[in-house]
Amino acid sequence: MNWETLSTTVLPLLGVLLGTGGTLLGQHLATRVDRKRLEHDQIVVMRTERKAAILSFLDAAQRIEMALDEHAESKDSPGEADSKESLHQLWLAKKNVELVCSPELAQSAHDYTYALHVSLRSPDRITDTSAKRQARYLVMESARRDLGITGRPLRRELSPASTPSDD
C-alpha cells in the first residue's frame, strides 16, 4: 500500500471522525446550556409563585391586623360578616402558602393565622400579647428564606441605643 492510496482513504475518514466529534461536543454543550436555562426558568417560576402566595397571605393577615387595631381603638366589636369573610380569606391564603412554600413557612403561617383567629374571635383568651407579634416575625423570616433572601434577620424593635434621647 502506498501513501497515495492510504491518504485518500484515511484523510476523509479522519475528517468524518473530527466532524462527528465536533457535532457531538456542540450538541452536548447546547444541551447543557438549555438544561441550565430550564432549571433557572423553573426556579424563577417557583419563586414567583411563592412570592404571590406569600403576598396574598400577608394581605389577608394585614386585613385582620387592621380590624384588630380598629377594634382596639374604638372598643367596638368588629362586624361579624366582615370578620368572617376576612378570616375565610386568611385561612384560604394560608392554605396556598402550604401548597407552594416550605414546610417551615407553612407552619409559621399556620401559627400566625391561628394567633390572628384567636385574637379576632376570642380576645379574652389572649394571655400573651407578644405571641401574635412573634408569630408574625417567624412568618416574615421564613418567607425571606423561602424567597432566597440571605443575611441577618431583621430587627423588629428599636434598640435602646437607637432611640432618640430627651436631652
Side-chain angles (χ1 to χ4, degrees), residues 132-159:
K132 180 179 65 153
R133 188 174 344 117
Q134 180 65 22
R136 182 184 330 117
Y137 172 78
L138 292 174
V139 164
M140 293 303 295
E141 290 305 320
S142 296
R144 292 177 80 226
R145 280 191 299 276
D146 264 28
L147 294 176
I149 299 170
T150 58
R152 294 186 341 228
L154 297 175
R155 286 184 301 139
R156 300 294 180 206
E157 303 292 331
L158 290 176
S159 65

Side-chain angles (χ1 to χ4, degrees), residues 63-73 78 115-116 118-121 123 132:
R63 291 179 193 278
I64 300 290
E65 292 271 7
M66 286 177 19
L68 289 170
D69 289 345
E70 288 173 10
H71 173 66
E73 289 174 7
L116 289 173
V118 170
S119 295
L120 189 64
R121 290 300 196 173
K132 180 179 65 153

Side-chain angles (χ1 to χ4, degrees), residues 38-81:
L38 179 62
E39 288 172 0
H40 177 265
D41 290 348
Q42 287 173 338
I43 289 170
V44 168
V45 166
M46 186 184 309
R47 185 180 189 279
T48 302
E49 189 175 18
R50 283 181 176 175
K51 185 177 178 183
I54 291 166
L55 289 176
S56 174
F57 173 76
L58 292 175
D59 180 56
Q62 188 62 36
R63 291 179 193 278
I64 300 290
E65 292 271 7
M66 286 177 19
L68 289 170
D69 289 345
E70 288 173 10
H71 173 66
E73 289 174 7
S74 68
K75 300 295 182 194
D76 294 334
S77 64
E80 184 68 25

